[in-house]
Amino acid sequence: MKKRTLSPEEREQALLAVVQELAEGVIEEGEALRRLRRNTLGLSQQAYADLVGVSRRTLSDIERGKGNVSLAVMNRVFRPLGLRVGLLPRQPALLEKALALTKSPAELT
């Protein structure tokens, strides 16, 4: 797989788009990881697994939503993308309220 060359702004936009879909429940964590690994970084599973220090099989299992990996491993695979695993409310209305609390007053107007 050929490594992609995106500008920092393009990488940020791609990351934010995937995170938004994840927060909205459109995709799961594994799909988010797969999209970011392939489309943003342009890395194969093996290259990314080597980068984060897990087996290719473990990475594949995570991307397919299979297996049972620890929170530490999940954080390890998301760290190069600038992400960490966390808790989000499952109810859309509550999630929207929680996200609104993180905005500055200037962003709310």
Side-chain angles (χ1 to χ4, degrees), residues 8-65:
E9 293 81 19
E10 290 171 321
R11 279 194 302 271
E12 183 177 275
Q13 288 303 313
L15 175 73
L16 292 174
V18 168
V19 168
Q20 182 175 5
E21 284 188 76
L22 184 60
E24 292 172 350
V26 175
I27 61 173
E28 297 291 326
E29 291 83 356
E31 176 63 17
L33 177 61
R34 186 186 69 77
R35 285 188 190 180
L36 292 170
R37 173 186 59 77
R38 293 181 73 201
N39 302 335
T40 305
L41 301 177
L43 294 176
S44 67
Q45 277 187 337
Q46 187 62 58
Y48 195 76
D50 292 343
L51 174 71
V52 298
V54 299
S55 70
R56 192 208 54 79
R57 173 74 183 259
T58 297
L59 183 61
S60 175
D61 286 348
I62 293 169
E63 289 184 353
R64 291 183 295 118

Side-chain angles (χ1 to χ4, degrees), residues 73-93:
V73 170
M74 289 294 284
N75 277 317
R76 188 180 326 151
V77 299
F78 279 104
R79 181 172 286 126
L81 299 163
L83 298 171
R84 65 184 162 139
V85 177
L87 300 174
L88 292 175
R90 292 175 68 174
Q91 298 173 343

